[in-house]
Amino acid sequence: MEIRNKAALDLVDQMIELCKPDQVVWCDGSEEERNKLQDKAVETGVLDKLNQEKLPGCYLHRTDPNDVARTEKLTFICCRRKEDAGPTNNWMDPQRAYAETGANFVDSFKGRTMYVVPFIMGPAGSPFSKVGIEITDSIYVVLNMRIMTRMGQIAMDQLGEDGEFTKCLHCTGDLSIEKRRILHFPEDNTIWSFASGYGGNVLLGKKCLALRIASYLAKQEGWMAEHMLILGLTDSNGEKTYIAAAFPSACGKTNLAMLIPPESFPGYKVETLGDDIAWIRKGADGRFYALNPEAGFFGVAPGTSKKSNPNALATTRSNTIFTNVVKTDDGDVWWEGMGKDTTPAHGIDWLGKDWTPASGEKGAHPNSRFTAPACQCPCISPDWEKPEGVPLSAILFGGRRAKLAPLVFQSFGWNHGTFLGATMASETTAAATGAVGVVRRDPMAMIPFCGYDMADYFGHWIEMAKDDPNAPKIFHVNWFRQDDEGNFLWPGFGDNLRVLDWIVRRCKGKAGAKETAIGYIPNPEDINTDGLDISRETLEEILSVDKEAWKAEIPGMEEFFAKFGDKLPKEIRAEIDALKERLGK
Ligand code: GTP
Ligand code: SPV
Ligand code: MN
């Protein structure tokens, strides 16, 4: 491998000194290297080979039972001044973080191989792209990074002699929760991860670099790093509209990005550009261009079925690493919600134990995942690797709200849209450790991922589109409204196209709406319900605004904003005052 970057060589030397590996391997990203690592992973029990006739190139991995999701409590922003991390982040003094976790890294690679993984977030040569180098003791990490990023020699070539890169260090350690730390040093462009082997904690290009570090860089450099899918929607006239959407973890980004239109929408097509992260910049024409910095999908397995998301299922039939799903007796995979008639009579569950459906236990962990190359997705957009990204017409915010939030509404403008993002709330999911189903404020779906003070982040949003006629229109959606028995009121999935269709027509000034206290809401007849079995009553219910219930939301919003004190942008304060005014005293 050709390595010309002196800083990269120096970093590896320093880390060898600290961690004392038995050997060091620079990963070039070749097919040969992949085969070698896969074989070694199978030999050492890290990966289980699946049925290669049914699932060529597919493997299964099981994490430690105490290491199945992101650990937000153990995730820190380590900047010099506590106030720069803001009230929603865990903060640790960088000196203390380096000293404490540095002590754990001492000799931590003894008896192990140090893999050096250069990677690019974004396509090679794109002005959006950023390079990172992850040093890890885990073959699972190397093989996942190979799917999720542009990895190997290609990244060293992009780096050249003096390019800058994010320094990422990971050690699996003993997986003890006491020592587990996910540390971000934005001022040093550095990430340290210790004692975890779970995706979001260890695939350091993803949430750690592409959101936490990138959001910090984006604020300084005048762009945006967001927890958003990107899709292209072609309508029956052949016109294409690009949309980005921010939903919290396990709230439907992958599903929306790969949506298949209902049969009653002939000529409509959704193409996927990204399912989790969008980097957004203003182009020379003043429009907002979005690019997916990842090269693969690290998607939620449970609930993925032929019915709900056939595109995701098809993407994962080769060259995919499954984590914490069921292995069936013929070497295939299974998870809850894979659909009717798919349940095996017997399998090995995510804990590695014999499992039958009669056991009453879940076979796959609720946060079990697949890592699959984006290029294998049947509906991948031909534009997904465009170095300049794609121009956005709309940005959607949404979450899981059993009550209150209507199916869809449009903001009055950019500042009001930013306010909708800033007041997002959603029920927690299995994507992070902790209670599930509790409503929490999750602005822009970034509460676990913003690398600096969120008050400044809101200010950055406002700043990005000041008086800008080219700014995308902002909408709020909620696929998760429930009746009193807990049944979903909206069919969701493919039928979400009906909402996207209204959004696209709104962007073109061609769809009706009524003005309400919270924004523009479609009248029931503005949503195309051809071929949909939904009662007028239900539709009216999910398109209604309960003023009293919205008034009752205000104290929660105020309480959340109070955390930011004087730093909260005056534009956000003005929006909450305007909302109160519209709702009436
Ligand atoms: P992360 O990868 O954690 O960021 O998640 P994500 O936002 O990509 O979520 P994903 O699309 O994987 O969906 C998570 C869960 O929500 C799955 O179990 C889906 O079946 C479910 N889901 C997605 N879309 C809908 C919908 O429109 N309606 C309902 N009821 N459930 C949905
Ligand atoms: C999420 O939790 O939002 C994910 C999975 O996309 S992870 O990479 O673990 O963050
Ligand atoms: Mn995510």
Side-chain angles (χ1 to χ4, degrees):
M1 204 175 155
E2 196 191 328
I3 306 145
R4 289 177 294 141
N5 191 287
K6 181 154 182 319
L9 290 165
D10 286 349
L11 172 72
V12 172
D13 281 346
Q14 281 168 24
M15 293 305 126
I16 292 172
E17 190 59 33
L18 178 68
C19 305
K20 300 280 180 348
D22 276 19
Q23 41 165 340
V24 179
V25 174
W26 282 77
C27 297
D28 61 13
S30 66
E31 205 55 39
E32 192 188 338
E33 172 185 270
R34 172 193 167 189
N35 293 332
K36 235 169 48 193
L37 289 175
Q38 281 172 344
D39 290 348
K40 188 167 174 193
V42 171
E43 254 166 54
T44 50
V46 171
L47 292 182
D48 197 348
K49 204 174 205 162
L50 293 164
N51 182 333
Q52 296 298 297
E53 267 157 43
K54 287 181 110 175
L55 300 166
C58 292
Y59 292 81
L60 170 66
H61 173 76
R62 294 188 190 93
T63 66
D64 190 273
N66 84 13
D67 190 29
V68 293
R70 282 180 294 100
T71 39
E72 295 179 3
K73 284 205 179 92
L74 304 176
T75 301
F76 292 84
I77 302 298
C78 311
C79 45
R80 277 187 298 277
R81 293 168 4 135
K82 183 170 197 260
E83 56 267 37
D84 292 341
T88 62
N89 277 313
N90 299 317
W91 173 82
M92 200 189 292
D93 174 66
Q95 275 183 3
R96 183 184 146 201
Y98 282 130
E100 281 182 10
T101 295
N104 292 330
F105 271 112
V106 170
D107 296 350
S108 61
F109 280 52
K110 267 204 171 143
R112 304 181 67 92
T113 300
M114 174 179 277
Y115 297 98
V116 183
V117 184
F119 62 94
I120 317 175
M121 298 314 293
S126 162
F128 283 72
S129 293
K130 300 273 179 203
V131 175
I133 296 181
E134 177 161 356
I135 295 172
T136 177
D137 64 344
S138 158
I139 301 182
Y140 172 77
V141 168
V142 180
L143 291 171
N144 273 274
M145 289 294 284
R146 192 178 189 282
I147 298 172
M148 295 305 295
T149 72
R150 281 87 174 173
M151 180 269 250
Q153 184 67 53
I154 191 174
M156 289 317 290
D157 291 345
Q158 167 124 354
L159 205 50
E161 270 173 39
D162 48 16
E164 274 181 51
F165 60 93
T166 305
K167 302 178 273 294
C168 310
L169 178 62
H170 164 249
C171 179
T172 311
D174 60 2
L175 297 177
S176 74
I177 296 186
E178 293 70 44
K179 291 185 196 148
R180 186 172 303 161
R181 294 288 181 276
I182 321 300
L183 306 171
H184 304 72
F185 305 88
E187 290 149 354
D188 302 340
N189 202 2
T190 293
I191 303 161
W192 277 15
S193 166
F194 195 83
S196 175
Y198 168 73
N201 287 342
V202 299
L203 308 180
L204 299 182
K206 193 174 178 58
K207 294 307 183 357
C208 301
L209 193 166
L211 289 178
R212 296 196 191 95
I213 296 287
S215 62
Y216 171 86
L217 295 175
K219 163 96 168 82
Q220 291 173 342
E221 298 170 2
W223 52 284
M224 306 164 90
E226 301 296 334
H227 191 199
M228 291 179 182
L229 67 92
I230 312 167
L231 64 81
L233 172 62
T234 306
D235 65 18
S236 52
N237 300 321
E239 286 177 33
K240 207 175 208 179
T241 306
Y242 294 102
I243 296 173
F247 310 153
S249 301
C251 289
K253 289 184 298 299
T254 303
N255 277 271
L256 191 69
M258 298 182 189
L259 174 156
I260 295 183
E263 279 171 18
S264 49
F265 281 74
Y268 279 74
K269 182 170 72 177
V270 167
E271 289 170 326
T272 311
L273 292 105
D275 82 326
D276 200 48
I277 298 176
W279 284 357
I280 303 173
R281 283 174 191 264
K282 263 196 216 184
D285 61 358
R287 299 191 68 186
F288 285 58
Y289 283 76
L291 177 114
N292 169 19
E294 301 189 283
F297 307 126
F298 184 60
V300 178
T304 308
S305 70
K306 275 210 174 101
K307 197 163 160 243
S308 67
N309 195 347
N311 284 317
L313 213 52
T315 308
T316 61
R317 294 311 282 180
S318 59
N319 306 313
T320 294
I321 301 170
F322 295 92
T323 302
N324 291 342
V325 303
V326 174
K327 184 184 180 189
T328 65
D329 294 344
D330 63 345
D332 205 335
V333 289
W334 185 84
W335 45 77
E336 279 70 21
M338 194 190 251
K340 258 201 198 132
D341 308 324
T342 62
T343 316
H346 173 267
I348 304 295
D349 69 8
W350 71 275
L351 293 159
K353 297 206 194 93
D354 278 300
W355 174 89
T356 64
S359 70
E361 303 285 329
K362 286 209 153 90
H365 187 274
N367 191 40
S368 55
R369 299 218 168 220
F370 53 79
T371 319
C375 61
Q376 291 183 185
C377 180
C379 58
I380 194 77
S381 165
D383 302 330
W384 84 284
E385 294 190 285
K386 267 196 170 171
E388 73 278 20
V390 293
L392 291 178
S393 296
I395 289 176
L396 279 47
F397 293 123
R400 279 176 193 266
R401 293 303 295 269
K403 302 283 169 201
L404 190 77
L407 179 63
V408 58
F409 58 103
Q410 182 185 359
S411 72
F412 295 120
W414 182 266
N415 283 6
H416 180 230
T418 301
F419 171 75
L420 295 185
T423 51
M424 259 171 75
S426 191
E427 292 145 22
T428 49
T429 66
T433 53
V436 166
V438 183
V439 175
R440 75 163 173 183
R441 297 268 154 214
D442 188 354
M444 284 83 168
M446 283 288 279
I447 202 101
F449 307 122
C450 186
Y452 61 102
D453 188 336
M454 275 203 127
D456 294 332
Y457 169 80
F458 300 151
H460 183 49
W461 263 79
I462 300 280
E463 202 55 41
M464 279 298 295
K466 248 197 170 121
D467 308 315
D468 188 341
N470 291 310
K473 305 272 183 286
I474 299 180
F475 297 80
H476 189 286
V477 298
N478 178 21
W479 318 137
F480 299 93
R481 274 287 282 272
Q482 292 177 13
D483 63 16
D484 293 335
E485 280 79 54
N487 304 303
F488 289 115
L489 289 169
W490 176 250
F493 301 100
D495 286 304
N496 293 333
L497 183 86
R498 300 169 190 280
V499 174
L500 296 184
D501 170 56
W502 179 76
I503 287 169
V504 167
R505 287 186 289 117
R506 279 302 284 178
C507 291
K508 295 179 176 168
K510 288 186 192 159
K514 62 173 179 281
E515 188 173 336
T516 74
I518 63 169
Y520 299 109
I521 298 198
N523 301 292
E525 56 276 15
D526 295 323
I527 300 274
N528 182 340
T529 54
D530 286 355
L532 180 66
D533 185 22
I534 190 170
S535 71
R536 173 88 185 188
E537 206 183 359
T538 303
L539 195 57
E540 274 171 8
E541 184 180 346
I542 58 180
L543 292 175
S544 64
V545 179
D546 179 345
K547 272 196 170 185
E548 291 311 309
W550 277 97
K551 272 189 210 170
E553 275 284 288
I554 302 275
M557 294 180 187
E558 301 259 30
E559 193 187 326
F560 179 70
F561 285 147
K563 288 186 188 188
F564 301 101
D566 295 343
K567 275 188 130 185
L568 189 75
K570 62 180 189 314
E571 291 85 354
I572 298 290
R573 171 111 334 266
E575 288 297 334
I576 198 165
D577 290 343
L579 174 64
K580 279 198 239 172
E581 189 70 31
R582 291 193 301 268
L583 287 168
K585 296 285 150 2

